[in-house]
Amino acid sequence: MKQYDQLYINGKWRASDGTQWVEGTNPATLEPIGKMVCATPEEIDEAVSAAHKAFPEWNARPLEERAAFLAAIADGIERHQEELAKLIVEELGAPITFARGVQVGGSIREIRATLEELPRFFFKEELENVTVLKEGFGVVACITPWNYPLNQIQRKITPAFLAGNTVVVKPASLTPRTALALAQIIHETKLPEGVFNLILGSGAETGKALAAHPKVRLISFTGSTKAGQSLYAQAALGIKKLILELGGKSALILLPEGEETQAVSRCMETILNNSGQSCSALTRLLVPREKRQAVEALLLDYVQRVGLMGDPLDPATKLGPVVSKDQYERVLNYIEKGKGEGARVLTGGTPRQGAGYFIPTTIFSDVTPQMTIAQEEIFGPVLCVMAYDTVEEAIEWANDTPYGLSGAVVGPEEEAYKVALRLRTGNVYLNAGKANPKAPFGGYHQSGLGREMGLYGLEDYLEIKAILK
Ligand code: NAP
């Protein structure tokens, strides 16, 4: 079995002395894809110490130089985009078209959009007798999930580097290969030693030890709310700054005058893409009761026409497998809970026979707000349709989960905007509104703390100093 035993520390690749391994499996074929080493405590310390040593010089560099390295990283990702997309297919199971366009393409677009915005940001301001400076925190621990294995790292290193920080990245155990490929791309830019370091290992041990290291000043975490809570408690001990990008249970509200087809395609895109394993997926579709039947018919038609499930390497595939056995069992368990609590299965609801962690698109109707499937993040290709009687009720339901990440409203522009103002979420899409890499991304409530992307993402990575003359 192929061994992934290399760590990237202080500008060099080196073999780990670790003796613990995590085995990887291709979720579409169930073939083994190699085993990943877990870094030793000494190696974690070495990586953090290298980042700590590199910080003063990197933080003092002119912004233009730091930005130039990021431009080179974006170029490198672009040059290696096909290789990265194939790695993402292999370890995550994302369909190749999605991996190319969104997983890899999105990373390139986001870095370039942030660089384009930089001239609007001020790292130094004069205020009467005060010079206000913004500068890096020091060493950032970047702990990332598997669902966007390239872009979740990009969303952390882009603002961290621009702000003058140095980083130690610990990627998800399910997707180390994409992270290793990115580290090689970064290595080729000749970024100064110690600015970027990559260690491998499990969250429970390596992630925890990295975050607890006394020289780490900022923890930037994307993942489950449960792991976020544990890191929050841990960060308190060292009074460390924390950025948390956590789970979601986002709703789309179709207003009585809204266009049903738009609501259906907007929701279903997010349910099929990445097998619904996106934190911002619109997993609850709130429809006026009188439109429920018409919407159900449109949903079935959409799944038939668009939702081709199969080999993720086939460019026509829209729905691949979910990432792992754990995730497969977790999603199937939620589907059984939905049935048990009285929701009606419109389509799907049983796993595909044969190899691979494939779960057909599953749509539940007659879902009520108290059901488990209406409250908890499922993270699979599962949609809940909920019929409401008044718009007030829809707004109340949309806000009635522990989360607050994303949302959407489909209806006449002015009315939809008024509803958007009342949603307690970090993002709200109106009608055909498109994603924008310059817009802030992050959640209210248990969806997290802080924002990523664009200049808004930069703010959280900066300390503020006032020099009074
Ligand atoms: P996860 O289990 O919380 O893991 C995320 C990362 O944290 C992994 O690298 C994991 O390592 C590590 N980790 C786990 N427990 C840890 C601990 N106690 N201390 C330190 N590190 C720890 O989440 P996931 O299953 O990979 O990702 C899915 C979740 O991420 C979903 O809830 C999704 O909504 C959320 N997400 C949120 C956003 C956002 O921007 N809001 C974006 C994407 C995903 P191992 O891999 O070794 O377990």
Side-chain angles (χ1 to χ4, degrees), residues 77-151:
I77 295 175
E78 194 166 46
R79 271 197 309 281
H80 292 275
Q81 54 187 320
E82 195 55 21
E83 170 200 338
L84 288 163
K86 293 218 166 106
L87 282 170
I88 292 170
V89 174
E90 186 185 47
E91 56 185 4
L92 174 66
I96 186 74
T97 309
F98 184 75
R100 284 186 187 126
V102 178
Q103 295 262 5
V104 181
S107 294
I108 302 166
R109 286 192 292 278
E110 287 185 21
I111 297 176
R112 291 183 179 156
T114 304
L115 294 178
E116 205 179 293
E117 285 280 88
L118 263 193
R120 292 203 303 117
F121 196 84
F122 295 99
F123 284 79
K124 183 177 178 185
E125 281 173 310
E126 299 297 338
L127 168 73
E128 297 173 359
N129 65 323
V130 190
T131 300
V132 180
L133 298 169
K134 295 184 179 173
E135 60 176 2
F137 269 83
V139 182
V140 182
C142 303
I143 303 177
T144 57
W146 44 262
N147 65 339
Y148 288 81
L150 177 69
N151 205 34

Side-chain angles (χ1 to χ4, degrees), residues 395-429:
I395 296 170
E396 194 185 309
W397 290 357
N399 286 332
D400 182 27
T401 77
Y403 297 108
L405 192 54
S406 191
V409 189
V410 171
E413 187 85 13
E414 206 176 316
E415 194 190 346
Y417 187 82
K418 282 190 189 148
V419 172
L421 293 179
R422 296 181 57 195
L423 295 184
R424 302 293 296 160
T425 62
N427 277 191
V428 186
Y429 287 87

